[in-house]
Structure formats: C-alpha cells, structure tokens
Amino acid sequence: MRAMASAEEERLVRALAPHLDGGEEDARCFARDLPRELDLKDAYLDDAEGVAAIASHLPPTLQSLSLDSNDIGDEGAVAIAPHLPPTLQRLCLHY
C-alpha cells in the first residue's frame, strides 16, 4: 500500500489534472513515482500551457522527467527549462 501523498505531490497533481483527459485520476497515476521520477510520456499534453502549469511544481529531488510523445513544442521546453532541479539526471523531450 502506498503512503499518503505529500503536499508537494498534491500541488503537482492539482496543476496537472486540468490538462489531462482523465483529470485527477490520470494525474495521480502519472505522479506515482514522485518525488524522484515523473513520467508524462503519452500524457496528451497538447501545448506549452500544460507544461507551464506543472513547471513550478516539480519536486526539488526530481531525477528523471519524461515528456516524450506530447505536443509541447519549443514553447513548452522553454517554459519548463528554468524549473528543472539540479538533481535532474534524465530529461526526455522528444515531441
């Protein structure tokens, strides 16, 4: 059984949910490996707005972030770049 979500995770889930077809349920599924990993591959984030919404909520201990197969464009990559923590070791932005 998984421990209760941290306040940090809850903030990210609330920011992400409006940008996913499955809302909060999908957001919780994608956030399951926080605080070290966030895999948003195929999350159907269709623009930079979704990425910008979560950018300031990335955990400071994040080591891996995948935004593969989302249509975030260059604007999304630029929006998230200043918020990437120094602990990040893996970043996937294939879009």
Side-chain angles (χ1 to χ4, degrees):
M1 176 179 266
R2 187 164 184 241
M4 183 180 280
S6 70
E8 188 174 77
E9 182 179 330
E10 285 299 315
R11 285 190 296 274
L12 189 132
V13 165
R14 284 194 304 272
L16 182 59
H19 302 281
L20 300 176
D21 289 340
E24 187 176 331
E25 184 178 339
D26 278 3
R28 290 196 184 286
C29 183
F30 282 116
R32 70 184 171 271
D33 294 323
L34 285 174
R36 288 183 280 184
E37 184 176 335
L38 181 58
D39 185 354
L40 293 172
K41 182 177 181 181
D42 297 319
Y44 300 103
L45 291 172
D46 291 333
D47 54 28
E49 184 181 326
V51 175
I54 66 164
S56 63
H57 301 288
L58 294 176
T61 55
L62 192 66
Q63 295 175 359
S64 176
L65 174 61
S66 176
L67 291 165
D68 285 357
S69 302
N70 289 287
D71 191 18
I72 65 167
D74 293 343
E75 290 179 13
V78 169
I80 205 161
H83 300 281
L84 297 174
T87 55
L88 196 70
Q89 298 172 10
R90 180 177 173 268
L91 176 63
C92 297
L93 289 177
H94 185 258
Y95 50 90

